[in-house]
Amino acid sequence: SSEVLEAIENVIEDVVKSLAQKKAPVLTLANRSGWRNIEFKDSVGLQMIPHCTTKQIRSDCPRSAPKFALMLKILSMIYKMVQTNTYATKRDIYYSDTLLFGSQSVVDNIINDISCMLKIPRRSLHILSTTKGFVAGNLSYTEEDGTKVNCTCGATVLTVPSNVQGIKNLISHAKFMLIVEKDATFQRLLDDDFCNKLSPCIMITGRGVPDLNTRLLVRKLWDTFQIPIFTLMDADPHGVEIMCIYKYGSVSMSFEAHHLTVPSIKWLGLLPSDLERLNIRKDVLIPFTKQDQSKLASIQKRPYIACQPMWKKELEIMAASKLKAEIQVLTSLSSDYLSRVYLPNKLQFGGWL
């Protein structure tokens, strides 16, 4: 915490110095918006280059002055929280002055900017993000406040903890982890008792694009147990993008890649080649939209696809067919095909990329 306080004091000191010299204070931060400042490293994923281009938030420019003021406001809130050892969620910060901040996304962006500017992970700033992910399966742990949590598969699901760094005494006999894109598929696998039937496993869903806590938990479980991690996604550009976030990270959070990515993650399904292999009827597939086409084209250009020839092939199959499929499409074969046939076969015979 002294490191955080010192980092904030340095920023404020620069502001005061500028004012003393009758200069307009500026805040300088790394440019997080494009691929120019990003490099791809196989062992880490997407990370910021050491000497990246920066942008300035000026206090004397009408366009950036409001942001400058909000950044100082949130810095002062963080400073107080670190001093008093209290925590707040991003929502708490927004609701502390909704008129001032205007929207939740403004707060979210500024917090990421501050984290990047100070080079300090967000949880060290005493800001917790609200969790939307779920976890189930062969796993138990103790939360920071001493609460014992047992995720052993029943029909109940547990929310991913909001302070992943604080959990300890993790115990699991799981043979693998399965990251499921969507809540509905996750619930279906739970109902079919998938976690116990084949061999003990841990299941996680970020319910779409994963939030920070879900990604932190996946990384923590990987660090702790070093078991294989598979993903189960829709066979569409959106599903591929979500899988890439877990595996390689995202451009906007690239400054924290070392805590968030798990490059050993494998693509288990639903593969575009599976649709042909399983003779899925064309009438249950969904035609691409313009948006799908441009998203797929942008994924194909990304630096990590070049080092994944098998993935490249699958994306080419998808691009050629211009068709996408949700995981639910497997129910057209039989209602429990996913848990009874598809996943056991894939896991037994190595059907992942």
Side-chain angles (χ1 to χ4, degrees):
S1 63
S2 59
E3 188 192 323
V4 181
L5 296 176
E6 194 182 329
I8 295 173
E9 283 160 11
N10 290 340
V11 170
I12 301 306
E13 201 178 313
D14 287 344
V15 169
V16 173
K17 273 184 190 158
S18 300
L19 290 170
Q21 293 164 359
K22 304 242 182 312
K23 286 183 190 160
V26 295
L27 297 172
T28 305
L29 33 128
N31 214 331
R32 294 188 299 117
S33 56
W35 284 84
R36 270 200 324 241
N37 285 331
I38 307 294
E39 63 179 356
F40 170 63
K41 204 172 166 194
D42 222 356
S43 59
V44 180
L46 301 175
Q47 59 177 14
M48 275 207 152
I49 56 176
H51 305 292
C52 55
T53 59
T54 55
K55 59 178 181 182
Q56 289 191 326
I57 311 294
R58 301 190 60 85
S59 58
D60 60 348
C61 157
R63 265 185 52 210
S64 62
K67 183 168 182 177
F68 179 90
L70 293 181
M71 283 184 77
L72 289 191
K73 166 78 176 166
I74 292 179
L75 276 169
S76 78
M77 294 171 87
I78 293 168
Y79 194 81
K80 270 194 199 120
M81 289 193 296
V82 175
Q83 270 186 325
T84 55
N85 197 25
T86 51
Y87 286 82
T89 63
K90 295 187 298 184
R91 284 183 75 77
D92 295 336
I93 290 177
Y94 168 59
Y95 281 110
S96 70
D97 199 333
T98 50
L99 280 176
L100 177 69
F101 294 119
S103 78
Q104 182 70 60
S105 61
V106 168
V107 172
D108 297 356
N109 273 323
I110 286 178
I111 288 166
N112 283 344
D113 278 340
I114 287 173
S115 175
C116 187
M117 176 176 76
L118 301 177
K119 295 187 172 53
I120 290 170
R122 191 164 75 195
R123 44 206 176 280
S124 302
L125 302 176
H126 285 229
I127 294 170
L128 304 170
S129 47
T130 20
T131 298
K132 64 184 179 98
F134 290 146
V135 59
N138 194 299
L139 173 69
S140 63
Y141 56 84
T142 309
E143 289 201 346
E144 201 176 22
D145 62 2
T147 311
K148 286 186 166 49
V149 177
N150 190 353
C151 309
T152 307
C153 230
T156 53
V157 294
L158 288 161
T159 309
V160 166
S162 60
N163 188 356
V164 175
Q165 296 312 96
I167 66 174
K168 47 189 184 293
N169 308 334
L170 288 91
I171 300 167
S172 175
H173 304 291
K175 296 286 179 277
F176 64 92
M177 251 168 78
L178 184 66
I179 298 172
V180 182
E181 178 186 349
K182 283 188 185 149
D183 193 15
T185 311
F186 182 84
Q187 297 287 355
R188 179 66 214 244
L189 289 172
L190 271 184
D191 294 344
D192 291 350
D193 196 23
F194 177 75
C195 296
N196 301 316
K197 266 191 185 150
L198 199 60
S199 61
C201 74
I202 299 168
M203 280 200 326
I204 286 186
T205 179
R207 297 164 75 196
V209 176
D211 59 291
L212 194 68
N213 293 328
T214 304
R215 290 175 62 191
L216 281 168
L217 183 64
V218 170
R219 176 59 195 249
K220 183 153 190 142
L221 293 173
W222 160 247
D223 286 339
T224 310
F225 302 119
Q226 301 278 310
I227 50 177
I229 303 181
F230 303 108
T231 57
L232 182 62
M233 305 280 151
D234 288 341
D236 66 9
H238 189 62
V240 174
E241 172 127 87
I242 288 172
M243 172 171 60
C244 291
I245 291 173
Y246 283 108
K247 187 174 170 80
Y248 295 123
S250 58
V251 171
S252 64
M253 293 300 286
S254 55
F255 62 95
E256 268 208 66
H258 292 267
H259 313 285
L260 293 171
T261 58
V262 185
S264 63
I265 283 173
K266 302 278 184 273
W267 186 4
L268 188 72
L270 191 62
L271 302 177
S273 60
D274 289 339
L275 303 175
E276 212 161 280
R277 187 174 59 81
L278 298 171
N279 288 323
I280 302 283
R281 298 195 324 269
K282 285 273 192 292
D283 64 323
V284 293
L285 302 177
I286 307 159
F288 261 26
T289 61
K290 277 229 161 64
Q291 206 180 356
D292 290 325
Q293 264 170 299
S294 59
K295 188 181 273 297
L296 181 58
S298 103
I299 293 171
Q300 286 176 303
K301 287 194 199 95
R302 289 183 194 171
Y304 43 69
I305 297 300
C307 69
Q308 289 279 6
M310 303 298 283
W311 283 33
K312 208 170 161 216
K313 247 193 186 134
E314 293 293 333
L315 298 183
E316 281 161 7
I317 293 172
M318 199 190 287
S321 75
K322 292 195 174 57
L323 292 168
K324 57 184 182 175
E326 297 185 329
I327 298 161
Q328 283 82 344
V329 80
L330 295 175
T331 53
S332 68
L333 300 170
S334 78
S335 64
D336 58 352
Y337 191 85
L338 175 66
S339 60
R340 187 176 52 83
V341 183
Y342 183 81
L343 289 175
N345 282 348
K346 282 256 172 178
L347 292 159
Q348 201 177 343
F349 301 113
W352 57 80
L353 306 177

